[in-house]
Amino acid sequence: MRVAIAGAGAVGRSIAGELLENGHEVLLIDKAPTAISVERVPQAEWLLADACEITSLDEAALQRCNVVIAATGDDKVNLVVSLLAKTEYGVPRVVARVNNPKNEWLFNESWGVDVAVSTPRLMSALVEEAVSVGDLVRLLRFSHGDANLVELTLPEESALAGTQVGDVEWPEDTSLVTIIRGTRVLTPTPDDSLEAGDELLFVAAQAREEQLEDLLSVRRENATG
């Protein structure tokens, strides 16, 4: 997979390193000469250019990229890069960094963004996840379809503890994608049973989040009467 990253700062370089370790091709783009540190990520391609300029993106051959990541520290730049990547070059997957949470509402499909990643939101979600059981935590927002990646740790008293996945009437527009049980990561099948303490990851429509939380958190004694 070929990935272009706009922004070769600490965030961009870190993402590039991870992707390279996983065998992907990576192009780092930055207009600041001081940001071009080839020795830090020597396996990547580097381009000194303004990612908001069509000529620069032509030079980067953005149309050959499977994914574009707008990872600069400027939300305006990230929005412009996302829009150009999607509308001018037809990049299938565009991921954008949100620096200011107040701007998060802008990062949607209208600006070409498929996935918006807000560091403050992720940090707060991780804090919530660490201290809360039975509460739904939103980890990531997907622009298409108004869906989110959400997590809930199944409480001991949940009526669904011991229930098979296939026997649960999940809300519409909701998909259980992963069960984390201790150190194991499970791809759920209808025959798998839910256990108290399981971390459950869902992709769910935002309108269904409250319904999903109610379903998972209902206490045993309330389930029968």
Side-chain angles (χ1 to χ4, degrees), residues 22-139:
N22 290 323
H24 302 296
E25 297 178 39
V26 176
L27 169 65
L28 280 160
I29 308 170
D30 206 297
K31 67 178 181 179
T34 54
I36 306 299
S37 305
V38 178
E39 69 281 357
R40 295 192 179 185
V41 194
Q43 305 97 324
E45 298 175 46
W46 289 79
L47 179 61
L48 176 61
D50 186 344
C52 292
E53 297 288 342
I54 289 288
T55 52
S56 301
L57 300 181
D58 284 344
E59 186 179 353
L62 222 64
Q63 70 278 2
R64 295 198 295 110
C65 292
N66 307 99
V67 179
V68 165
I69 302 173
T72 79
D74 187 326
D75 285 345
K76 296 187 294 296
V77 171
N78 291 342
L79 285 171
V80 171
V81 170
S82 298
L83 185 63
L84 291 174
K86 184 66 71 174
T87 60
E88 297 295 326
Y89 298 93
V91 176
R93 191 73 164 167
V94 177
V95 179
R97 171 188 176 188
V98 185
N99 296 278
N100 186 341
K102 292 181 180 179
N103 296 330
E104 191 173 359
W105 66 277
L106 288 166
F107 286 74
N108 55 40
E109 59 185 350
S110 298
W111 280 93
V113 178
D114 295 306
V115 180
V117 181
S118 171
T119 302
R121 177 181 290 279
L122 283 175
M123 291 179 70
S124 64
L126 289 170
V127 171
E128 291 178 42
E129 191 274 332
V131 299
S132 59
V133 173
D135 293 329
L136 200 70
V137 178
R138 189 181 301 168
L139 299 176

